[in-house]
Amino acid sequence: MRFSRLYAPTTKEAPKDALLASHIYLSRAGFISQVASGLYNYLPLGKRVLKKIEAVINEEMANIYAQEVELSFVTPIEFWEESGRVNKFGKELLRFKDRKDNGFVLGPTHEEMMVNIVRGRVTSYKQLPLNLYQIKTKFRDEARPRFGLMRAREFVMKDGYSFHASYEDMDREFDLMEATYKRILERLGLEFRIVEADSGAIGGSGSKELMVLADSGEDTIAVCDTCEYGANVEAAVRAEPRCDAPAPALAYEKIHTPELKSINDLSTFFKADSYYIVKTVAKRLIFEEDSKIVLYFLRGSDELQEVKAVNAVNALEIADVSDEELRELGLVPGFMGPMGLENITLVFDASLKGAKSMICGANEKDFHYVGVDMETEQLEFSDLVQVQEGDGCARCAGKLSYTKGIEVGHIFKLGTTYSKPLGATFLDENGKSQEMVMGTYGMGVSRLIAAVIEQHNDEKGCIWTETTAPYRFNILISNIKDEEQLAYAEELYAELSARGVEVIIDDRKERFGFKMNDAELIGFPYTIIVGKNLAEGIVQIAPRSNSEKIEVKKDELLARLMELK
RNA sequence: CGGGGCGUAGCUCAGUAUGGUUAGAGUACCUGGUUUGGGACCAGGGGGUCGAAGGUUCGAACCCUUUCGCCCCGACCA
């Protein structure tokens, strides 16, 4: 490619809306341009990077016999009604009607469609397993798109689906996909962590997320400082906490506690560690049809994890509750507790199982009970706690700490979540009809573009990794009017092109500094500077990843460049 | 969806409080010249329905109403 022909409108200033490094540099360097909220055009450089990432994914998929397909973007809404996901997806699902008044959606993910092309055609266990995937534009009408390609409404995702005759085989494929995704991210040159995750609305028995580590990541993950354990805080677990302070030696009794509403106040008043105080958190849980208030009970030293709270009662959403709403139910804000409540759903954190000598609200203004033991029989326990930094690892003696991650992949063990409602069955060895066991594997291709830059940039611009760079070499002619420079650079360009190397030559009639700044903003891994010291037979290689320019004799240049590969 | 902010040249923004020549700057772009190792300089030039609609007024980028778009915080987000 010739720079003089390249459409890459670079700018000195970033669009005012860009906040993250990836958004700023991808815009400034002319990779993308925004069309509307959450919608982006990919300019030539952006499209090249997208294809580079896709190529790596395609190669790795081929290695494990996954086959690429392409499903229609516009999908009949019937499929979504059949799976029951229309409501679950809500407004994210962009719906519309065609001229004949038939309902359609723009595909935000393709479980339904993929099951549809398999069911009725795959009818025997002999045809399984099967792993099909596509790399395609998805559309989710996000309530709040942001951060450029990081959270766009229209985005490119690789979505894969596997079909199996048994859970064992699904597990095998799941592990294989995890290993394959790991290899893809390694090849892309990313630092990442595979963590346990909440399965969310997609359902299924287990899931893992691939997190590219970056401070700008939207997800908080808890990682162990000793072992491999890592999990999204939505799903992270910890070692059973211990409290060194003694339990308050108080017999069961109702105590007058005027105006003592906070855990802190109570802790001081009773000289008891907050570990021994029951924290009551009221939330409104929203279900498909209705909503209700649920009371969650935790140790005073813990915080409620809202995703866990939602999962504990199988709700869709969680919302805050006002004091008025609580009073209407006969509850007393500040003095709530588990005792003597009827017709309210109560969920206890697992760490309260068998707890003794606890302090809790009496559901009466200015009163608390002390010396309360948790009756384990009738109570419903669930893990509700958000792990904190410094908590012990559940797997080893290590400590957990937080880090931020960009979710670039999510793999799920679906089981029969979709094959059952959509009727994807096969005949097993005994001629018996079985539902297919499925896995699903997503990878955000366009988000990966942003993730690479979030992790690899400096004050000058993008620093593409070897496998993601739009061009590997940039031949910069310092003075285009110098015939020797021009001739040598053109010769080198022809030679590298002939070798199939991805190379661009900066043949623009611009000054050195201008071209160098563009090269650094765009972020080519290597810029070869053909300049004034060509007269002494010297050219320079300027690697983008560090500021050291390497001087090379021109006769040795080609060999050096090929060594870099 | 709640709270806040912003829409003026391709881009970044000034001008709006207190209405009044032909609406400005920087940058980008075009022409000519000089320059050629870090976004260089000189001269000349093109580019705007001031987001849209309606209203007030002799007169609106500016005041009023409505509306659309974009961004931020939160809620939300496989």
Side-chain angles (χ1 to χ4, degrees):
Chain A
M1 188 60 193
R2 289 180 178 280
F3 232 120
S4 57
R5 304 293 301 274
L6 178 72
Y7 183 56
T10 59
T11 59
K12 278 188 195 174
E13 280 172 303
K16 65 176 171 190
D17 297 334
L19 300 170
L20 291 195
S22 61
H23 192 186
I24 291 170
Y25 291 138
L26 290 172
S27 302
R28 278 191 53 204
F31 285 79
I32 58 169
S33 76
Q34 182 169 2
V35 192
S37 180
L39 305 180
Y40 291 85
N41 289 327
Y42 290 81
L43 305 182
L45 290 175
K47 180 65 179 173
R48 280 187 76 88
V49 174
L50 194 64
K51 284 168 87 172
K52 298 292 285 272
I53 296 172
E54 289 177 6
V56 171
I57 293 173
N58 283 328
E59 282 175 30
E60 294 297 336
M61 287 299 115
N63 284 340
I64 59 166
Y65 305 105
Q67 299 159 75
E68 189 176 16
V69 296
E70 179 150 341
L71 309 185
S72 84
F73 185 30
V74 173
T75 64
I77 198 165
E78 282 82 44
F79 290 141
W80 293 79
E81 287 163 350
E82 204 178 340
S83 71
R85 277 214 288 183
V86 173
N87 290 337
K88 221 166 190 177
F89 246 97
K91 287 186 177 168
E92 302 249 309
L93 199 58
L94 184 65
R95 301 149 214 225
F96 57 95
K97 292 192 167 170
D98 68 6
R99 65 204 297 166
K100 290 182 281 189
D101 215 32
N102 292 320
F104 290 91
V105 307
L106 283 187
T109 175
H110 282 183
E111 279 77 14
E112 287 83 355
M113 285 284 280
M114 202 61 91
V115 169
N116 179 257
I117 64 171
V118 167
R119 69 176 167 187
R121 298 194 177 91
V122 174
T123 51
S124 160
Y125 72 96
K126 294 173 193 167
Q127 294 166 285
L128 297 171
L130 188 60
N131 191 329
L132 301 174
Y133 77 97
Q134 62 172 347
I135 296 177
K136 198 173 171 74
T137 297
K138 303 287 185 294
F139 191 93
R140 294 179 191 176
D141 199 358
E142 294 270 0
R144 195 176 156 213
R146 56 188 129 173
F147 304 143
L149 295 186
M150 200 71 91
R151 179 171 296 285
R153 289 192 294 172
E154 187 177 294
F155 58 99
V156 177
M157 182 166 88
K158 176 266 170 184
D159 50 323
Y161 308 85
S162 68
F163 301 86
H164 308 274
S166 69
Y167 279 85
E168 293 70 36
D169 199 52
M170 175 189 74
D171 289 344
R172 175 200 56 73
E173 189 82 2
F174 184 88
D175 292 343
L176 179 62
M177 284 301 302
E178 178 179 339
T180 303
Y181 272 19
K182 190 174 169 194
R183 201 154 46 239
I184 290 167
L185 295 187
E186 281 166 356
R187 284 184 61 184
L188 295 178
L190 291 164
E191 198 189 329
F192 63 97
R193 191 115 180 185
I194 299 176
V195 303
E196 309 207 346
D198 171 58
S199 305
I202 202 155
S205 59
S207 79
K208 289 188 177 178
E209 288 169 335
L210 288 91
M211 293 286 189
V212 169
L213 302 180
D215 291 339
S216 55
E218 292 190 84
D219 289 277
T220 301
I221 56 186
V223 295
C224 177
D225 60 8
T226 308
C227 75
E228 286 292 294
Y229 180 74
N232 194 308
V233 286
E234 296 170 358
V237 294
R238 62 182 183 187
E240 190 62 35
R242 278 201 309 273
C243 180
D244 296 331
L250 299 165
Y252 179 71
E253 190 185 353
K254 190 157 108 179
I255 305 270
H256 187 54
T257 52
E259 294 304 318
L260 297 179
K261 293 181 179 180
S262 72
I263 297 291
N264 244 341
D265 293 345
L266 292 164
S267 175
T268 309
F269 182 80
F270 288 111
K271 297 183 176 54
D273 193 286
S274 59
Y275 180 82
Y276 299 105
I277 299 168
V278 176
K279 175 187 280 186
T280 307
V281 182
K283 292 283 174 183
R284 177 168 293 281
L285 276 294
I286 297 152
F287 301 85
E288 204 155 312
E289 300 288 312
D290 54 355
S291 75
K292 66 178 179 187
I293 287 175
V294 175
L295 295 187
Y296 295 95
F297 300 101
L298 308 108
R299 288 187 181 270
S301 45
D302 290 329
E303 299 290 334
L304 179 69
Q305 212 314 311
E306 296 200 349
V307 172
K308 291 181 179 180
V310 168
N311 292 342
V313 294
N314 244 320
L316 292 178
E317 282 180 45
I318 188 166
D320 290 338
V321 181
S322 69
D323 285 0
E324 289 70 41
E325 289 175 282
L326 293 175
R327 288 194 194 95
E328 281 168 23
L329 283 177
L331 294 166
V332 190
F335 301 92
M336 293 188 290
M339 321 271 285
L341 293 176
E342 284 173 11
N343 302 322
I344 294 182
T345 305
L346 311 178
V347 185
F348 293 79
D349 180 61
S351 75
L352 288 172
K353 198 176 274 186
K356 302 240 187 294
S357 295
M358 299 296 291
I359 298 164
C360 64
N363 292 315
E364 188 178 329
K365 185 165 164 46
D366 297 338
F367 283 97
H368 278 82
Y369 284 113
V370 301
V372 176
D373 296 344
M374 293 291 158
E375 296 288 342
T376 53
E377 283 78 37
Q378 309 96 318
L379 305 182
E380 186 190 338
F381 290 93
S382 248
D383 174 26
L384 299 174
V385 166
Q386 162 127 2
V387 302
Q388 301 295 330
E389 291 195 274
D391 283 351
C393 176
R395 303 250 178 100
C396 73
K399 289 257 177 280
L400 299 178
S401 62
Y402 284 174
T403 182
K404 290 287 183 180
I406 300 165
E407 182 192 344
V408 296
H410 200 159
I411 57 178
F412 297 84
K413 293 181 181 180
L414 285 180
T416 58
T417 313
Y418 293 89
S419 52
K420 185 179 274 182
L422 296 170
T425 60
F426 66 98
L427 293 181
D428 68 12
E429 290 158 286
N430 304 314
K432 203 178 145 207
S433 180
Q434 302 269 13
E435 281 141 5
M436 290 183 200
V437 182
M438 293 177 59
T440 183
Y441 318 97
M443 186 168 259
V445 184
S446 47
R447 181 177 282 180
L448 273 166
I449 297 175
V452 171
I453 298 307
E454 283 307 314
Q455 206 170 70
H456 303 276
N457 70 80
D458 63 14
E459 69 288 344
K460 290 173 177 169
C462 304
I463 304 176
W464 293 102
T465 60
E466 306 268 325
T467 42
T468 55
Y471 294 94
R472 180 176 173 77
F473 294 121
N474 169 40
I475 303 170
L476 191 159
I477 308 168
S478 179
N479 181 357
I480 197 82
K481 288 190 179 165
D482 182 313
E483 284 177 23
E484 191 194 351
Q485 288 180 22
L486 182 62
Y488 177 80
E490 287 288 354
E491 196 184 315
L492 179 64
Y493 173 63
E495 183 66 40
L496 287 172
S497 298
R499 292 181 185 224
V501 177
E502 293 184 305
V503 59
I504 186 166
I505 181 168
D506 197 342
D507 55 348
R508 294 175 298 173
K509 293 183 180 63
E510 299 287 351
R511 294 162 66 92
F512 175 82
F514 183 90
K515 294 197 218 184
M516 199 62 200
N517 281 333
D518 263 1
E520 285 163 338
L521 177 59
I522 292 169
F524 304 108
Y526 300 99
T527 291
I528 300 146
I529 303 169
V530 179
K532 60 186 181 188
N533 32 20
L534 183 70
E536 291 93 58
I538 301 288
V539 291
Q540 288 169 314
I541 302 171
R544 181 64 180 88
S545 54
N546 66 55
S547 51
E548 300 276 309
K549 291 174 187 163
I550 307 162
E551 298 214 329
V552 182
K553 290 191 183 123
K554 68 175 185 182
D555 300 334
E556 295 168 10
L557 179 66
L558 212 51
R560 285 293 290 275
L561 293 180
M562 298 323 272
E563 274 171 29
L564 291 170
K565 199 146 198 179

